[in-house]
Amino acid sequence: MVSEMQIKFTSNGKTIQATLESNNAAKHFYQLLPLTLKVEDFANAEKIATLPEKLNLQGLPAGTDADAGDITYYAPWGNLALFYKQQSYANGLIKLGKITGDSQFFKSLGQADVTIDPL
């Protein structure tokens, strides 16, 4: 049996865990870890950060919507998008996973360095 891909985000002395999806993009993201990324606010709904490479989108839908706590990839820009507010459907948005815990964790970060590690 394949175990779930568990990760953790650490910033400003705070840590939260997440579970990744079993899609190609999430597997590719997991292989890039550990990463330290600078996140910044975008549209008062999410934190974004540029990934070091584009993720594999083979077999994935054209887009999705997002809920608070969702970890996503925005393919047109090649960035990680960490949502703290619900977002309507967007073309190119791919769900990578979801945090387990406070869905407002990302909002509390401000502009900061975030380390993402596999568990």
Side-chain angles (χ1 to χ4, degrees):
M1 184 171 109
V2 177
S3 63
E4 293 183 325
M5 293 181 291
Q6 301 285 319
I7 62 173
K8 69 177 180 177
F9 291 84
T10 306
S11 183
N12 300 325
K14 298 177 184 176
T15 299
I16 198 162
Q17 294 184 5
T19 301
L20 295 180
E21 301 280 312
S22 61
N23 64 45
N24 285 329
K27 290 174 185 172
H28 188 170
F29 175 67
Y30 189 77
Q31 292 172 349
L32 297 176
L33 302 180
L35 285 173
T36 299
L37 303 172
K38 182 171 289 301
V39 299
E40 58 184 298
D41 203 64
F42 184 78
N44 290 320
E46 62 189 286
K47 298 294 182 183
I48 62 171
T50 303
L51 290 176
E53 61 187 67
K54 298 260 186 192
L55 299 183
N56 177 356
L57 303 180
Q58 184 176 354
L60 294 170
T64 191
D65 57 357
D67 293 322
D70 280 356
I71 302 157
T72 65
Y73 173 67
Y74 187 59
W77 294 353
N79 70 294
L80 192 64
L82 310 169
F83 284 89
Y84 57 85
K85 284 187 182 171
Q86 187 172 344
Q87 179 67 37
S88 58
Y89 179 91
N91 251 344
L93 190 64
I94 305 298
K95 186 171 179 180
L96 300 178
K98 184 139 185 107
I99 61 172
T100 50
D102 183 6
S103 65
Q104 294 302 298
F105 175 81
F106 297 130
K107 184 177 184 177
S108 70
L109 296 178
Q111 184 170 333
D113 287 337
V114 175
T115 301
I116 310 165
D117 293 296
L119 287 179

